[in-house]
């Protein structure tokens, strides 16, 4: 064990860390252990990230329970644990967590003789960065869209449905933060649970609603109740003042997302820039597309843009996410579906007939439908069209 424990020079108690590593390795099939040292702003002293072997489910649950109980004896320490399969799935979805937190510089144990064996080869870092940027851009737009969707309800005095939209904003935003800062996400809908889940490792996102302030506790309770009661209970009430306070916290939360997640992307970029430029170059997403050198330059560029932007009709493979596949004839039919859904919503708003057997809560059904419409919108493809238009304007007449 002694010869496999290293990089402890920056710790103030290396013997304790060696003891922790020794006990973990004794009980758990361990490939690597990485150590992140907390600063004054972090709620932990040491963060251990453990890469285990690939266990069958029944064994994995047993090992996870051991790690949870064992690290419970060290209140200044937190632990995350992943299998190589889990890391591969998260990397495919697009996250810089493992690049930034699981590298040779903070590796303190490996079962391999070669310390260079880390979750990622240096050659794949640019691809990880590109997929992570695309994931962030798509998800932050959804967060902003839900926040924007709350404003019409605020304006008409429907603070309960505004609360639901703010809840969805926070839930989606927390999942985005967890994806990049923790490497995995909490499965529940409770904002309190999300805040506690990330709070052990990030004070920034763990104190959006401080739990030592009575008013924030009440607001958090309202938010969690709004997920269900704003849609299905007529007795649920959110006061205007409460809605304004929640809106302020949501706006602050989005600003934090827009600051800290790009910082994670930039950290990954600096890591790539620090490698030999002759060895690693940052590719653009078009590198995955076969090019025909005999094709016209404009056509090649269009193929590159297609690979970068045209992804709405492809299946989404992120772990812990589920997609309802809608089979259609292409983007034109997709837009027809979106416009028809919007027309139905407009008709329901402009010609209200009250509740029916199948439509007991018209306002709630309309809000839910509009949120699904946002998910269907081909945001990236709109950017693709702008790029194509610009290319056509700049292209020579004989191109």
């Amino acid at each position: 064990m002694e010869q496999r424990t290293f990089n402890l020079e920056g710790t103030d108690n290396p013997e304790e860390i060696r003891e922790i590593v020794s006990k973990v390795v004794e009980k758990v099939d361990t490939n690597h252990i990485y150590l992140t040292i907390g600063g004054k702003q972090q709620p932990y002293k040491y963060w251990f990230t453990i890469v285990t072997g690939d266990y069958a489910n029944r064994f994995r649950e047993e090992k996870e329970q051991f790690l949870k109980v064992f690290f419970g004896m060290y209140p200044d320490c937190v632990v995350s644990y992943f299998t190589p399969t889990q890391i591969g799935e998260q990397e495919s979805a697009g996250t810089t967590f493992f690049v930034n937190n699981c590298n040779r510089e903070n590796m303190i144990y490996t079962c391999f003789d070669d310390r260079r064996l880390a979750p990622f080869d240096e050659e794949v870092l640019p691809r990880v960065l590109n997929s992570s940027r695309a994931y962030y851009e798509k998800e932050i737009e959804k967060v902003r869209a839900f926040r924007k969707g709350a404003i019409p309800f605020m304006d008409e005095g429907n603070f309960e449905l505004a609360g639901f939209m703010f809840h969805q904003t926070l839930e989606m935003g927390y999942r985005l933060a967890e994806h990049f800062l923790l490497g995995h996400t909490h499965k529940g809908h409770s904002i309190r649970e999300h805040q506690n889940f990330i709070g052990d490792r990030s004070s920034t996102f763990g104190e959006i609603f401080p739990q030592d302030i009575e008013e924030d506790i009440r607001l958090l309770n309202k938010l969690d109740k709004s997920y269900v009661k704003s849609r299905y209970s007529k007795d649920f009430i959110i006061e205007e003042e409460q809605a304004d306070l929640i809106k302020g916290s949501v706006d602050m939360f989005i600003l934090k997302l827009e600051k800290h997640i790009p910082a994670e992307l930039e950290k990954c970029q600096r890591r790539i820039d620090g490698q030999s430029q002759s060895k690693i170059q940052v590719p653009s997403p078009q590198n995955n597309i076969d090019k025909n050198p005999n094709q016209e330059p404009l056509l090649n560029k269009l193929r590159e843009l297609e690979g970068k932007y045209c992804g709405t009709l492809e299946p989404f493979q992120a772990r812990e996410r589920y997609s309802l596949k809608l089979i259609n004839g292409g983007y034109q039919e997709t837009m027809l579906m979106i416009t028809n859904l919007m027309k139905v919503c407009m008709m329901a708003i402009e010609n209200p007939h009250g509740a029916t057997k199948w439509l007991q809560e018209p306002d709630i059904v309309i809000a839910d439908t509009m949120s699904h419409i946002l998910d269907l919108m081909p945001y990236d493809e709109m950017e693709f069209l702008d790029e194509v238009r610009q290319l056509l304007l700049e292209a020579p007449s004989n191109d």
Side-chain angles (χ1 to χ4, degrees):
M1 161 58 62
E2 184 71 24
Q3 71 274 17
R4 294 191 184 277
T5 308
F6 40 83
N7 283 346
L8 300 181
E9 295 80 5
T11 65
D12 58 8
N13 195 344
E15 290 305 317
E16 180 182 51
I17 294 175
R18 289 192 181 97
E19 180 182 354
I20 291 174
V21 171
S22 177
K23 291 181 179 178
V24 167
V25 172
E26 179 183 350
K27 294 289 186 179
V28 180
D29 178 19
T30 304
N31 292 347
H32 310 290
I33 300 179
Y34 302 88
L35 182 67
T36 302
I37 301 176
K40 294 181 179 180
Q41 301 301 317
Q42 278 80 29
Y44 60 86
K45 184 177 181 180
Y46 297 124
W47 180 357
F48 293 83
T49 302
I50 301 172
V51 181
T52 70
D54 277 313
Y55 288 103
N57 286 339
R58 67 181 186 278
F59 295 117
R60 185 169 68 244
E61 292 172 0
E62 175 187 332
K63 302 305 180 184
E64 289 176 351
Q65 182 62 24
F66 162 76
L67 290 171
K68 182 178 180 180
V69 173
F70 176 70
F71 277 92
M73 298 186 296
Y74 297 89
D76 292 335
C77 301
V78 294
V79 61
S80 299
Y81 33 88
F82 305 89
T83 66
T85 298
Q86 289 172 329
I87 291 175
E89 290 171 342
Q90 292 298 325
E91 180 268 332
S92 297
T95 178
T96 56
F97 173 81
F98 300 101
V99 173
N100 292 339
N101 296 279
C102 301
N103 49 64
R104 291 196 298 272
E105 287 77 9
N106 67 343
M107 179 189 289
I108 62 171
Y109 169 84
T110 179
C111 70
F112 303 106
D113 293 330
D114 189 349
R115 296 186 189 180
R116 292 176 297 175
L117 293 174
F120 294 112
D121 293 329
E122 293 176 350
E123 288 76 8
V124 308
L125 300 190
R127 175 170 57 82
V128 172
L129 178 59
N130 278 328
S131 63
S132 298
R133 280 175 172 160
Y135 184 90
Y136 167 71
E137 290 168 1
K138 181 172 289 188
E139 295 303 306
I140 195 65
E141 282 305 312
K142 292 180 182 178
V143 172
R144 292 168 180 152
F146 272 110
R147 188 272 180 202
K148 185 177 180 180
I151 302 307
F153 293 117
M154 291 283 288
D155 292 342
E156 66 184 39
N158 192 337
F159 304 115
E160 293 74 34
L161 281 182
F164 169 74
M165 298 299 286
F166 287 139
H167 177 284
Q168 292 298 96
T169 304
L170 288 168
E171 182 181 343
M172 186 163 289
Y174 266 116
R175 291 186 189 277
L176 177 58
E178 292 158 5
H179 182 73
F180 277 93
L181 300 180
L182 305 185
H184 61 125
T185 60
H186 179 61
K187 296 180 181 180
H189 297 292
S190 167
I191 303 304
R192 183 189 304 277
E193 291 177 4
H194 278 285
Q195 181 171 270
N196 292 339
F197 182 71
I198 199 172
D200 288 341
R201 294 157 179 81
S202 171
S203 298
T204 298
F205 292 100
E207 298 180 355
I208 301 299
F209 296 92
Q211 293 304 280
D212 57 349
I213 301 176
E214 190 65 31
E215 179 61 28
D216 283 286
I217 294 174
R218 285 195 292 268
L219 292 177
L220 194 52
N221 289 338
K222 282 288 185 181
L223 264 176
D224 278 344
K225 290 178 181 179
S226 71
Y227 178 71
V228 173
K229 291 193 173 184
S230 65
R231 296 177 290 168
Y232 305 115
S233 174
K234 295 182 178 179
D235 298 327
F236 180 69
I237 296 175
I238 294 180
E239 303 292 345
E240 181 176 4
E241 181 181 358
Q242 292 175 320
D244 286 333
L245 291 172
I246 291 172
K247 175 177 174 293
S249 295
V250 168
D251 289 343
M252 177 181 66
F253 175 79
I254 293 176
L255 288 175
K256 290 179 182 293
L257 279 178
E258 293 172 337
K259 174 183 177 182
H260 289 275
I261 308 306
E264 293 297 308
L265 296 170
E266 181 59 29
K267 189 187 300 182
C268 181
Q269 180 67 68
R270 290 197 301 269
R271 183 165 184 78
I272 293 172
D273 293 341
Q275 307 295 336
S276 169
Q277 293 187 1
S278 62
K279 185 175 181 181
I280 292 185
Q281 295 293 331
V282 180
S284 50
Q286 62 265 26
N287 284 2
N288 297 325
I289 301 171
D290 294 331
K291 295 183 182 180
N292 183 347
N294 296 321
Q295 289 179 329
E296 295 295 328
L298 179 59
L299 183 56
N300 275 333
K301 184 63 178 177
L302 291 175
R303 285 169 57 85
E304 295 171 2
L305 292 173
E306 179 188 25
K308 183 176 180 181
Y309 294 113
C310 296
T312 295
L313 298 184
E314 295 179 0
F316 183 62
Q317 300 294 337
R319 184 175 174 85
E320 299 176 357
R321 294 290 181 91
Y322 301 89
S323 61
L324 178 64
K325 297 180 181 179
L326 299 174
I327 300 174
N328 59 41
Y331 288 105
Q332 185 174 7
E333 191 170 324
T334 299
M335 292 306 298
L336 180 62
M337 183 193 311
I338 290 172
T339 54
N340 284 340
L341 284 169
M342 293 179 69
K343 289 176 183 178
V344 170
C345 291
M346 292 170 63
M347 290 172 61
I349 293 171
E350 294 175 358
N351 302 283
H353 296 287
T356 68
K357 178 181 177 181
W358 303 110
L359 193 62
Q360 297 182 6
E361 300 280 354
D363 290 345
I364 295 169
V365 172
I366 293 170
D368 281 347
T369 303
M370 294 298 288
S371 69
H372 291 310
I373 292 173
L374 290 174
D375 287 334
L376 288 172
M377 289 295 292
Y379 299 105
D380 290 343
E381 285 77 355
M382 297 302 100
E383 190 171 351
F384 167 74
L385 292 176
D386 286 338
E387 295 272 6
V388 169
R389 179 176 180 274
Q390 189 61 35
L391 280 173
L392 292 174
L393 289 174
E394 297 174 354
S397 59
N398 60 350
D399 192 10

